[in-house]
Amino acid sequence: QVQLVESGGGSVQAGGSLRLSCAASGDGYKLMTCMGWFRQAPGKEREVVASIATDDGSTHYADSVEDRFTISQDKAEKMVYLEMNSLKPDDSAMYYCAADRWRRRGRCSTEATTYNTWGPGTQVTVSS
C-alpha cells in the first residue's frame, strides 16, 4: 500500500511562489512508476499539472504551467515536489498528489482516472 500526503499550499499574490510537497509512505511506493500533480478548481474537472517517472525522472507539464512549474523527486526520502513560480489567479485550486503503478504506452499518464492512489489535497489560492 501507498499513502500520500500533500503540504505547502497557501494564499499568495499573483506573481508569487509556492512549493508543494508530497510525502509518500508504505512499501508499495517502490512499485509506483509515475507520480503526478493534479489540480481541481470549483466547478472544473481535475486536470494534470505535471508528472514525473520515478525510474528515469522524465517529466511532463501541462501547457498552462510550462516554464513556471517544476516537478522533482527525492526517491530516498519518498518525496515529490512541485515548485510553482509566477503564480496566476487561474492557478487557484486544490492540488493533489497521485501515484500510478504503470506507464501508459511508455509514458506517465495525464489522465486522473489512471492514477490509483491519491492524497487528500492542499489548497492553493492566488489573489490578483
Side-chain angles (χ1 to χ4, degrees), residues 18-22 37-38 49-51 61 65 69-72 80-85 95-96:
L18 283 173
R19 188 193 196 204
L20 305 184
S21 299
C22 173
W37 282 99
F38 289 77
V49 175
S51 65
Y61 296 93
V65 306
F69 291 11
T70 303
I71 188 171
S72 61
V80 179
Y81 304 100
L82 185 69
E83 185 76 34
M84 306 187 295
N85 298 313
Y95 281 71
Y96 300 92

Side-chain angles (χ1 to χ4, degrees), residues 18-68:
L18 283 173
R19 188 193 196 204
L20 305 184
S21 299
C22 173
S25 60
D27 292 338
Y29 182 73
K30 60 187 176 185
L31 300 177
M32 297 298 119
T33 303
C34 295
M35 298 296 295
W37 282 99
F38 289 77
R39 66 187 182 187
Q40 188 168 19
K44 295 187 177 181
E45 293 187 356
R46 191 168 296 191
E47 61 177 2
V48 68
V49 175
S51 65
I52 186 166
T54 58
D55 51 3
D56 64 8
S58 56
T59 58
H60 166 84
Y61 296 93
D63 290 343
S64 60
V65 306
E66 187 83 55
D67 297 328
R68 299 190 297 123

Side-chain angles (χ1 to χ4, degrees), residues 38 99-102 104 109-118:
F38 289 77
D100 188 356
R101 185 169 178 181
W102 310 107
R104 313 286 170 166
S109 173
T110 59
E111 300 295 326
T113 53
T114 63
Y115 287 75
N116 50 22
T117 302
W118 292 83

